[in-house]
Amino acid sequence: MADEESKQGEEAKPNTMQLKVVSQDGTEVFFKCKPDTKLEKLMRAFCQRQGVAMESVRFLFDGNRIRENQTPNELEMEDGDSIDVVVAQVGGTPTTR
Amino acid sequence: MPSKRKARADPISIDLCNTDDEDDGTAAVAAAVDATKPAAGRRSSRIASQARKPDEAVLLHFPSEDAKERITLTYADVRRLKSGARGAAPETLLLSDNLVDLYIKYLSGPPQQLCAKFIPGLDEKSRSHVHMFSAFFLKRLKTTITKGLSMHTMMKWNENKVLFTHLRAFLEFYWARQFESRPIEGYPRSGRPLADEPLPPPNEPPCVPPPQPPTRPKRVRYGASSSDVATRRAASLSTAEVLGRRRASRGVGGAASEPIDADACADPLVDALDGENSSLSGGRPLRRAAKQSMQRIEWLKSDEEAWREVDRQQEGRGVRQRRSTATARTEAMEEADAKKARREFEAREATKSDRQVARLRRGDSAPVASSTTVPAMAPREATGDAQALAMAPREATVGDAQAADEAEDVVLLMVAEEGPTVEAMVAAEEGAADQDTVGAQVGAPKDHLEVEEETWFSTERMPNIILKKVPQQKNDYDCGLYMLTFIEQLAAAEELPSFETADGLIAHFSGATLPKQEAIDEKRANFYKGVFKLAEAQSQPDDPIVHSDWDGEELEEPRPGKRQRGGRAGALAGDGAGGTGDPAVPVVTSVE
């Protein structure tokens, strides 16, 4: 982990990182944030920009859901990591088609 | 050509660094967001910031509120577990991703005492060789494939341990797709006009990026309106989970028996990269770097320090490039830079994943030893008609089954749609139809996905992945429960046929051994009760659980004294109030 920190130190603007939020249609939104910023902020920003409700999407990092109060540091995110956004879904198709 | 560039030229970048870190920094966030929006396209941000509805009130965090990967269940979710027999609209009874994920998570851990009566869970033995992925896995996999996104991100999903053991299958899938399906993959399927650029000649190395569609991909407005959501939800994929069977005896030696043939992977890539040079300008140094990196990856393998070295070098380039672009990215980033940045980003991702392999190798050698390296990335320019594909109405479950013997890993895709109903199976069995017929009926999948979605899946392209229809329900809403049940049975089965083919695996379950509708109804009720049991354990005195939307029989067993009053009273009152009125619109008296 010390390695990661030293890497961040190399960044042009120290202590910021860039995260990429990728939605299911391939849209990418880049976020610059601090490693200790709560991810809720990023989520809200994304939802506001896309005009979606927070409850209707799920943010996943490495396939795991992200909690609002987690920070990039906590999740061991690195600069340039990508976060997936998926639409909440329900299971099932009618049997009769 | 110009249209292609336009489509990719303006990545959206939002700077959150200047907003306050405090919770009330919402306005600042909004401002930061608004600054990036084109004036015409601004939408009201009210949608996201509106107050929580009772529906969205949180009932339960599983496994706990502080858990790293918790699932949050709301009242809206749990309302989906109402009895289906009371005339509720079918679409209100479909399981949500939260429910499915919670159930899967529950199955993945030891049963909780309070809840075990209703949801027995799996015993330790079953759990130890089962891995179930979240409900989003399949969808994401599909996006990865159809969009030509980095496979490396996918590799990190959930338990990468499991994924890595199946690296080969995935890579074969990926590469096969790259090599064979390019001509089919073109956009005309969707009726979208092609960009100015010609399609690559069929014989060209297949990793050449296909031309971009002239327009930017339409942005999905998730949940913009309720009807929109309903349509989308009804049409979208649902439960996707993976069962990974790991043979207990399979140690390092066994795993090493099927290493990725790094050379085989590397060569096509190098070819592809070379081929790419002919059709795209720029990026040559990156490709060289990718090549070098791949070679080094081969040499260095598990040497962590050396990995870092590679990473740093690769990253040094990437970071410089991205930094320079990131600052000016908002509006006027140069097109070439955008492309480059994306590629470098890709390369970095690749390197990162490689490093992760190294980490895993160090930490947990058994499963990971089966994979050696991850080749550097193929270009990611591909966008297709994945929108249409992703909207295809289908329910599928990925079962990812590791061979029970020396056979290669098998990935089992289980498709619920159009499978035979359990009742039909039983009838067929009773009608003296031999087991083979039923088996064939259950497992005749090819005509399904291949017709509908040939661009992303076919057995020929991915021999290790088998697609099977599984038995399903008679009604319109129990899909999810059937699927969960089936997975549970699969996991808990004492003896299963070889995992070499899924035919035997699925046919192993005759109609007689599968749950009937009554059992599923009971499961639904028990799921509901179990969820509330879990919730009770977590509930706070000032935020009692509300049972008012339960329309089934009253909960058995008095609750532990702590929560008893509020919850119990709520449950009883609810039985009267919500049960008989309009089941589709349950009465909610959530206490905030």
Side-chain angles (χ1 to χ4, degrees):
Chain A
M1 295 311 115
D3 180 46
E4 282 163 29
E5 277 158 30
S6 70
K7 235 183 310 167
Q8 280 163 14
E10 286 171 24
E11 303 286 318
K13 195 174 172 185
N15 229 8
T16 67
M17 62 194 301
Q18 189 170 18
L19 297 173
K20 183 174 72 166
V21 178
V22 188
S23 51
Q24 276 163 315
D25 60 352
T27 315
E28 295 175 357
V29 181
F30 292 87
F31 287 91
K32 247 198 292 184
C33 64
K34 293 173 196 159
D36 56 353
T37 307
K38 283 191 177 162
L39 284 164
E40 178 176 14
K41 212 158 145 189
L42 179 146
M43 297 176 184
R44 287 201 184 286
F46 180 85
C47 290
Q48 280 180 18
R49 185 164 200 300
Q50 306 293 81
V52 300
M54 280 274 274
E55 297 81 22
S56 69
V57 290
R58 316 263 183 263
F59 290 84
L60 311 172
F61 178 62
D62 288 356
N64 294 316
R65 296 177 184 215
I66 298 174
R67 268 165 32 200
E68 282 95 343
N69 58 359
Q70 282 172 319
T71 66
N73 264 349
E74 222 174 298
L75 294 167
E76 296 180 23
M77 289 180 178
E78 293 169 26
D79 188 45
D81 270 338
S82 61
I83 295 172
D84 292 305
V85 181
V86 287
V87 192
Q89 52 188 345
V90 292
T93 34
T95 44
T96 51
R97 286 165 53 86
Chain B
M1 184 85 75
S3 57
K4 171 187 174 178
R5 290 201 168 160
K6 200 166 275 176
R8 282 288 188 181
D10 55 343
I12 305 144
S13 181
I14 298 175
D15 192 345
L16 297 174
C17 295
N18 299 326
T19 59
D20 203 332
D21 273 349
E22 298 306 315
D23 284 344
D24 56 359
T26 332
V29 170
V33 170
D34 282 347
T36 68
K37 287 186 188 177
R42 289 192 191 184
R43 294 196 190 93
S44 162
S45 57
R46 264 178 303 141
I47 304 170
S49 60
Q50 64 188 191
R52 252 184 187 177
K53 292 167 291 185
D55 256 15
E56 302 304 335
V58 172
L59 172 70
L60 160 75
H61 298 293
F62 187 81
S64 71
E65 188 163 2
D66 314 320
K68 197 178 171 194
E69 294 148 18
R70 68 173 191 202
I71 308 287
T72 300
L73 216 58
T74 64
Y75 279 90
D77 288 317
V78 83
R79 212 158 285 136
R80 297 185 164 276
L81 289 172
K82 288 189 308 168
S83 161
R86 310 215 171 192
E91 63 268 21
T92 64
L93 297 172
L94 300 170
L95 297 194
S96 67
D97 56 326
N98 285 335
L99 285 169
V100 171
D101 279 354
L102 180 133
Y103 199 86
I104 286 170
K105 220 174 185 64
Y106 184 87
L107 289 185
S108 313
Q112 302 208 357
Q113 228 177 359
L114 266 177
C115 181
K117 183 178 173 193
F118 301 113
I119 313 177
L122 294 171
D123 61 26
E124 197 180 340
K125 183 170 160 247
S126 303
R127 286 201 309 274
S128 68
H129 58 188
V130 168
H131 177 81
M132 289 163 267
F133 277 91
S134 87
F136 297 108
F137 177 77
L138 179 61
K139 200 167 210 176
R140 184 60 174 77
L141 177 65
K142 199 167 156 191
T143 308
T144 303
I145 302 296
T146 51
K147 293 282 182 187
L149 299 181
S150 161
M151 212 52 195
H152 299 284
T153 314
M154 205 60 229
M155 297 294 177
K156 298 196 294 178
W157 262 55
N158 288 71
E159 308 289 318
N160 23 22
K161 282 181 283 189
V162 177
L163 259 189
F164 271 114
T165 63
H166 300 288
L167 185 64
R168 179 170 183 169
F170 282 118
L171 280 181
E172 280 178 9
F173 189 2
Y174 187 54
W175 287 113
R177 180 179 166 75
Q178 289 290 326
F179 286 126
E180 289 170 22
S181 66
R182 185 65 66 194
I184 316 168
E185 194 189 327
Y187 310 111
R189 274 170 62 87
S190 65
R192 207 180 297 172
L194 288 170
D196 313 343
E197 276 184 278
L199 276 170
N203 291 332
E204 206 167 317
C207 282
V208 172
Q212 293 288 325
T215 51
R216 195 183 180 80
K218 195 177 141 204
R219 189 191 303 141
V220 180
R221 294 184 65 213
Y222 314 101
S225 71
S226 56
S227 62
D228 194 3
V229 176
T231 320
R232 193 178 304 285
R233 283 182 173 176
S236 68
L237 289 178
S238 63
T239 60
E241 24 207 278
V242 170
L243 290 163
R245 292 227 158 208
R246 190 167 67 211
R247 198 165 52 115
S249 62
R250 189 181 185 123
V252 180
S257 66
E258 42 177 69
I260 299 289
D261 185 348
D263 290 337
C265 287
D267 288 342
L269 175 74
V270 172
D271 289 348
L273 289 171
D274 285 342
E276 191 193 357
N277 280 336
S278 62
S279 67
L280 282 177
S281 59
R284 187 178 289 269
L286 177 70
R287 274 175 222 117
R288 207 179 300 130
K291 271 192 217 177
Q292 284 168 358
S293 145
M294 269 172 43
Q295 286 161 2
R296 297 182 79 147
I297 284 164
E298 277 309 292
W299 301 332
L300 302 174
K301 298 242 163 123
S302 58
D303 183 342
E304 174 81 353
E305 208 30 63
W307 277 89
R308 285 188 180 149
E309 175 64 21
V310 174
D311 198 37
R312 266 195 291 275
Q313 287 184 6
Q314 191 89 354
E315 214 151 60
R317 267 191 289 272
V319 166
R320 266 200 301 283
Q321 182 63 49
R322 281 189 314 98
R323 278 296 142 200
S324 65
T325 54
T327 48
R329 185 169 274 154
T330 44
E331 299 259 320
M333 192 165 115
E334 287 195 17
E335 296 161 5
D337 280 353
K339 194 181 280 176
K340 251 187 193 170
R342 193 163 283 113
R343 286 175 184 287
E344 301 208 3
F345 192 88
E346 191 76 43
R348 288 187 56 224
E349 264 184 11
T351 321
K352 255 189 230 162
S353 287
D354 292 341
R355 197 180 49 208
Q356 203 164 23
V357 179
R359 275 195 201 135
L360 281 167
R361 292 167 62 104
R362 211 181 29 180
D364 184 2
S365 60
V368 181
S370 68
S371 63
T372 53
T373 84
V374 184
M377 277 320 301
R380 184 219 295 214
E381 296 293 320
T383 60
D385 52 349
Q387 186 77 8
L389 291 179
M391 296 298 290
R394 185 169 70 84
E395 174 171 15
T397 292
V398 187
D400 169 347
Q402 181 148 357
D405 47 31
E406 290 74 26
E408 292 192 341
D409 296 343
V410 172
V411 177
L412 175 63
L413 290 158
M414 295 189 286
V415 181
E417 192 190 4
E418 292 173 9
T421 62
V422 172
E423 283 75 9
M425 287 172 69
V426 173
E429 284 160 22
E430 283 171 356
D434 58 350
Q435 192 62 37
D436 291 343
T437 316
V438 179
Q441 192 192 1
V442 176
K446 283 196 171 182
D447 48 319
H448 176 61
L449 273 199
E450 285 191 9
V451 171
E452 181 192 310
E453 303 181 8
E454 57 186 289
T455 55
W456 96 274
F457 181 87
S458 87
T459 311
E460 281 74 25
R461 285 187 204 122
M462 197 169 181
N464 284 353
I465 290 201
I466 298 167
L467 180 77
K468 288 289 160 193
K469 291 175 185 173
V470 292
Q472 61 169 349
Q473 78 293 349
K474 269 195 305 194
N475 56 42
D476 283 347
Y477 48 82
D478 274 336
C479 274
L481 283 167
Y482 263 85
M483 192 60 87
L484 288 175
T485 310
F486 196 78
I487 286 164
E488 219 172 342
Q489 274 192 297
L490 204 58
E494 282 294 316
E495 264 184 42
L496 282 174
S498 161
F499 276 64
E500 274 180 328
T501 66
D503 283 315
L505 199 61
I506 298 211
H508 177 70
F509 298 94
S510 66
T513 63
L514 289 168
K516 309 294 177 296
Q517 184 59 47
E518 302 79 52
I520 292 292
D521 288 341
E522 195 186 335
K523 190 181 183 69
R524 183 177 274 274
N526 281 337
F527 193 177
Y528 182 94
K529 292 172 190 169
V531 160
F532 271 99
K533 287 286 173 209
L534 292 173
E536 277 162 20
Q538 287 185 9
S539 67
Q540 304 296 321
D542 55 343
D543 187 16
I545 296 167
V546 178
H547 289 275
S548 60
D549 56 333
W550 175 235
D551 62 349
E553 77 274 31
E554 76 179 64
L555 297 179
E556 304 159 29
E557 221 184 22
R559 243 160 266 123
K562 200 172 73 170
R563 293 299 140 245
Q564 193 172 352
R565 307 226 168 257
R568 191 65 176 170
L572 295 174
D575 282 345
T580 50
D582 181 1
V585 190
V587 180
V588 187
T589 52
S590 170
V591 180
E592 292 289 336

